[in-house]
Amino acid sequence: MPEILKLGIIQRALFASLLVGLILPLSGSFAVVRKSAFLGAGVAHIAFSGVAFGLMISSPPILWAFIFSVLASVLIWHGGKSKRMDYDLSIGILFSLAMALGILFLGISKKYGSEALGYLFGNILTTTKGDIYTLAVLLLLLLIFYLAFYKELFFMSFNEELAEASGINVSVFSLLLLLSMTLSVVASLKAVGALLVFGLLVMPAAAAYQLTYDFKKMITLSLLFGLISSIGGIAISIFIDVPSGATIVLLAFAIFLLSFLFSRKKGG
Amino acid sequence: MKIIEVKDVSLGYNGKAVVEGLSFDVEEKDFWTIVGPNGTGKTTLIKAILGLIKPIKGKILVFGCPVQKVCRHRKMIGYVPQMEKFDPNFPARVMDVVLTGSYNKLGAFKMPGKKERERALELLRWLGMEELADHPIGKLSGGQQRKALLARALFAEPRALILDEPTSGVDIVSQEKLIELIEKVYREKGLPVLFVTHNVNPILHLITNAVLLGFGKHAAGSREILFDRKILREIYGKEIEIVSQEGRKYIITGDYHHA
Ligand SMILES: Nc1ncnc2c1ncn2[C@@H]1O[C@H](COP(=O)(O)OP(=O)(O)OP(=O)(O)O)[C@@H](O)[C@H]1O
Ligand SMILES: [Mg+2]
């Protein structure tokens, strides 16, 4: 492979990881303070069953990942709204259902090949220009959404009842938050994989959560930690030639561990 | 002008009624207290007035508007919810919480600025907790959290105040201060107040009307019903003492579960 093309791949990988390193911790910050981070893990696995379905019927996998996870999000949201199901429970059920379906689809299509594995473990070196544009547009949309409705989102994260009593449409904003997280997860699937996407969603935000009582600072720190993990993780993976998803998440964990040790919030 | 109209309302959960056929009207300058044993639906009533839960039967109007519709009325009510300890690690400081009171006035996309911060500080100063402005809300005591929420409720100069046991868990001195503040707002602005409590004595001089909720029974009307032994016995299921001292009446309810 010509040297110049190789550089292109690495540049694309760096760009993609930079974007994913911002997108996931941004959505993750809201998930962490709302104590709904587990939703992210659920959505990632549901998205993977969509990928398997797409591979089975030879249709774009990401499209099906998107359809599956958005449908599941709306179901989870609806279950939570009618107060008949706790988020935990509906996610747990959909999570296992999704994995069973995913395995079934892969079994039927007899495609255990590298493509399916790519979505499970992620391969940032396969990101295309199109992927990068998609991620960039998503990041922009997320920034606009979170900035425009920061007040509402902060208020309802603090106390849903009080927010609703003040006239905030908590139900609609919960759905929007859920969808924004779902989109973040699906868009990051190819780069970091269904198994590791949760790490980048939760760990930078959880690390930031340990360090401050100021929500704006928490989001900023979370973004910073996400960037360090993703860029640093890529660099390490290229340097010692190991899968990047693993190094990114391990770096995020190292940051979390340090934050936990130096947390201001010790002792509850 | 009628501010809140509760018309033959039944309330409950999953089709099971907690309160049945309750009616009363709250007018300007009214000070209503809502009392009754635990679990008789005081909080449920308040949530229905705020439009957070749907009545099984009947109608509630606030500023002439049915509460189920999301109209402006919610933004005109200052509400302090019943005691609920906040997550001690939640990333919000007292100032951030008080400033949520400014959100409605600011409207979409705008963030609170210097003017709002000053007003928040002024309210906190009034409540004697200015120095706690940058303190994490979850790390305050229950009483301090109550005061922060009252400051929040008063921020936007509401046109009605709904307070669900605002003084429970608050020390005697702060309780006096809190009631003094509520009285000041009540008298100056002439806005109606709904005050849920288990101890009416500290607010007896303010009360104009009362809703008494019991299990399967209720009474609503002028303050005199608070001194009606027969009604009190029906609501609480036991003899309640009313003592007169230096020209003031006191009600001894023995219902101090939160104290
Ligand atoms: N979300 C809910 N789902 C089902 N039942 C509920 C719910 N909230 C309250 N209840 C029931 O409704 C009844 C009234 O509750 P509510 O909280 O209104 O009582 P309360 O008068 O405010 O009591 P307290 O003095 O303890 O605050 C109780 O029997 C309670 O068990
Ligand atoms: Mg109550």
Side-chain angles (χ1 to χ4, degrees), chain B residues 15-29:
Chain B
K16 223 177 125 252
V18 177
V19 179
E20 276 189 281
L22 178 67
S23 301
F24 63 93
D25 292 336
V26 177
E27 306 195 5
E28 251 161 304
K29 302 199 173 130

Side-chain angles (χ1 to χ4, degrees), chain B residues 42-43 82 164-165 196:
Chain B
K42 300 181 294 297
T43 299
Q82 188 167 0
D164 197 347
E165 300 193 32
V196 178

